[in-house]
Amino acid sequence: MTIATKEQLTAFVTETVHATPVTDIHTHLFAESFGDLLLWGVDELLTYHYLIAETFRFRPDISYDAFWQLSKQEQADLIWQTLFIDHSPYSESCRGVVTVLNRLGFDLAKRDLEEYRAYFRSVSASDYIDRILKLANVKTVVMTNDPFDAYERGKWETGAPQDPRFLAALRIDPLLNLWDSSWSKLKEQGYEVDADLSGGTLAEVRRFLKDWIARMNPLYMAVSLPNDFAYPEDSARVRIIDECIVPVAREAGIPFAMMIGVKRKVNPFLKDAGDSLGKSDIGAVERIVSKYQDVKFLVTMLSRENQHELAVTARKNRNLLVFGCWWFLNNPSLIEEITRMRLELLGGSVIPQHSDCRILDQLLYKWDHSRAIIGKVLCDKYGDLFDAGWRLEEEEIRRDIEDLLGGVFWKFLGKPDPAA
Ligand code: REL
Ligand code: ZN
């Protein structure tokens, strides 16, 4: 049907963005078969590392050690008191908790943490997964799967039942960022590798990657890279990229996802909350994607300052697909600015958002909040076309939104959307 008025346009775009199921291309969530690797519930929500960092800012009276010695529930109590009762929870990660509790139907007027906890004790993981995926309208969740993690490896080795809503991504940070310590872990797994990459080491690394690809059937291989990531460079990282990751990605027909710009552990006392960011050299991205035009690259960058040049680099390289507003960019003001800029430079050939959820319940807020912004930006973009006299068809708008929320990803992979 043809859109007749601006009001009709706004209503249709807003409704369609909310009604379209999402493929969430990067999370830290797990299927139920991974047991306690899947985090959910109010105590997990409150102890999200984003909130831990915010709590310490208000609590100079609590030492890092004292905090880490508390039980999870005690930590959650302290965070609730500090960020939700002693102050108003308007930071994005605090607001996220409020959105989740609200969407679950809790009485927010009472602010009674025990009441929320009682619900979580009464529900099973399996029912809760169903409830959250339905409420968040997420059809597929891509996990982050680390073969260097002995605990997770155990889960893969027991061949637990598969849930088609949760798909794998092979995460290889230790291989590229910590070769000095990870080569011995490969050796323990039966690969004949040496610290100096000599002899058959690179062939063995390729064998390791292929073995895990066979086991996990990942949609892509992924790494997070420091802000000073350089390419080319005389380093173990770049040799492994050139001689192992790239050929294996090419052969397996899966992309290599690079998440660039993280500074790990700038405050180690904060543990997971102690990572930061820095501006990166877009030249490194340009050089690697243009060198390997037959390999697909998914790229997200952590610094706001890199966003414009990353979008321009994607204009020049069709094997580069930009995705998500990562981590410190996942705030309404920045999502709006970045999404607007990307749609202006790339049209719909982009993945505007991923959730990066670590806790299942967060799907509710991360997607609610991002959908609202994506919808708002799209209303403006289609509104401009409407004003310029372009005929807008509901079917075409629906197609575009389905693409942004998943279709672009699946087409880039060259695979049918299994949930379609
Ligand atoms: O995948 C990553 O490397 C990051 O997204 C995570 O390490 C980070 O801690 C995550 O919670 C950010 O949202
Ligand atoms: Zn992540």
Side-chain angles (χ1 to χ4, degrees), residues 26 28 48-50 171 224 259 264 326-327 356 358:
H26 170 60
H28 298 265
Y48 186 32
H49 67 75
Y50 291 32
R171 184 74 176 240
S224 74
M259 309 173 66
R264 296 282 179 197
W326 183 25
W327 200 343
D356 231 317
R358 283 180 175 264

Side-chain angles (χ1 to χ4, degrees), residues 32 55 148 234 277 309 365 386 409 413:
E32 194 192 349
T55 299
F148 287 91
D234 181 16
L277 85 172
E309 53 196 17
Y365 94 79
F386 184 87
F409 175 64
L413 295 187

